[in-house]
C-alpha cells in the first residue's frame, strides 16, 4: 500500500517530533474545533481554528456540558482557557483550566472579515467537491 500524503510521516517518532515542534501557524490549524450542528449547516463547514471570543461548549471531561467564552488560546500548550472554567489553588487563587479545542464544540463564532473569507473559501471548496461526486 502506498502513502496517501507524502509530505506527512507515518513514523510515530517523526510525527510526535513534528507535532511538538510545530510553529505557531501550524499549531493554529491543529487547534481547530468542530462547529455545532446549526453552524455546520449554516456555513457548510465542519471545523475551524478556534480563536479568542468564540463561545464553546465542553464535550469531554469533568466540565462536560459547560458553555463558556474563550479568554485565551495558549498555542504553546495546545490549550484554550475559558471564562469561569477554573480551579482554586491551595492559597485561594483561581487558575484557569486548560481544555483542548477538539474537546469543545463552537456554539457561536466571532466573525470578522478574515474569518468570513475563510468560511467562504472552505464552503466553495466543499461545493466544488460535491459537484465532482455528482458527475
Amino acid at each position: 500500500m502506498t502513502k496517501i500524503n507524502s509530505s506527512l510521516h507515518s513514523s510515530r517518532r517523526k510525527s510526535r517530533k513534528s507535532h511538538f515542534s510545530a510553529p505557531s501557524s501550524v499549531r493554529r490549524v491543529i487547534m481547530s474545533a468542530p462547529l455545532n450542528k446549526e453552524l455546520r449547516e449554516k456555513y457548510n463547514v465542519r471545523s475551524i481554528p478556534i480563536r479568542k471570543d468564540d463561545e464553546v461548549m465542553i464535550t469531554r471531561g469533568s466540565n462536560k456540558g459547560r458553555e463558556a467564552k474563550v479568554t485565551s488560546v495558549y498555542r504553546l500548550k495546545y490549550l484554550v482557557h475559558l471564562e469561569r472554567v477554573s480551579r482554586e489553588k491551595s492559597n485561594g487563587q483561581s487558575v484557569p483550566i486548560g481544555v483542548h479545542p477538539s474537546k469543545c464544540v463552537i456554539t457561536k463564532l466571532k466573525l470578522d472579515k478574515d474569518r468570513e473569507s475563510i468560511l467562504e473559501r472552505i464552503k466553495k471548496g466543499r461545493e466544488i467537491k460535491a459537484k465532482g461526486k455528482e458527475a
Side-chain angles (χ1 to χ4, degrees):
M1 195 170 113
T2 58
K3 242 186 179 176
I4 295 165
N5 189 347
S6 59
S7 65
L8 295 174
H9 243 280
S10 53
S11 157
R12 175 180 163 88
R13 176 203 256 183
K14 291 180 181 177
S15 295
R16 283 179 59 83
K17 182 177 166 68
S18 68
H19 181 269
F20 292 110
S21 62
S24 184
S25 57
V26 175
R27 284 175 185 246
R28 176 181 166 270
V29 178
I30 293 171
M31 292 178 72
S32 291
L35 301 179
N36 68 358
K37 287 220 166 67
E38 293 86 57
L39 291 174
R40 204 183 302 166
E41 284 163 13
K42 184 178 178 184
Y43 296 112
N44 196 14
V45 174
R46 188 170 188 83
S47 68
I48 194 166
I50 204 160
R51 69 169 282 182
K52 190 179 173 181
D53 295 329
D54 279 346
E55 285 180 30
V56 298
M57 188 175 85
I58 303 172
T59 56
R60 292 281 182 272
S62 54
N63 291 307
K64 182 177 180 175
R66 286 179 73 177
E67 289 203 35
K69 194 175 189 180
V70 178
T71 54
S72 72
V73 178
Y74 205 146
R75 285 192 192 163
L76 193 67
K77 290 186 175 179
Y78 286 107
L79 296 170
V80 290
H81 290 146
L82 306 170
E83 222 170 61
R84 298 182 309 279
V85 179
S86 57
R87 65 185 298 261
E88 294 285 316
K89 280 170 59 171
S90 57
N91 65 2
Q93 193 180 352
S94 180
V95 218
I97 294 174
V99 181
H100 194 274
S102 68
K103 307 301 172 202
C104 301
V105 168
I106 298 175
T107 54
K108 191 176 175 204
L109 289 165
K110 179 180 192 295
L111 288 174
D112 55 9
K113 65 176 192 286
D114 294 331
R115 204 99 185 267
E116 282 171 0
S117 70
I118 291 167
L119 287 167
E120 196 58 43
R121 192 174 67 220
I122 297 169
K123 190 176 183 177
K124 276 183 187 164
R126 285 270 166 87
E127 286 166 357
I128 292 166
K129 216 176 205 180
K131 281 180 187 171
K133 283 184 179 175
E134 287 170 7

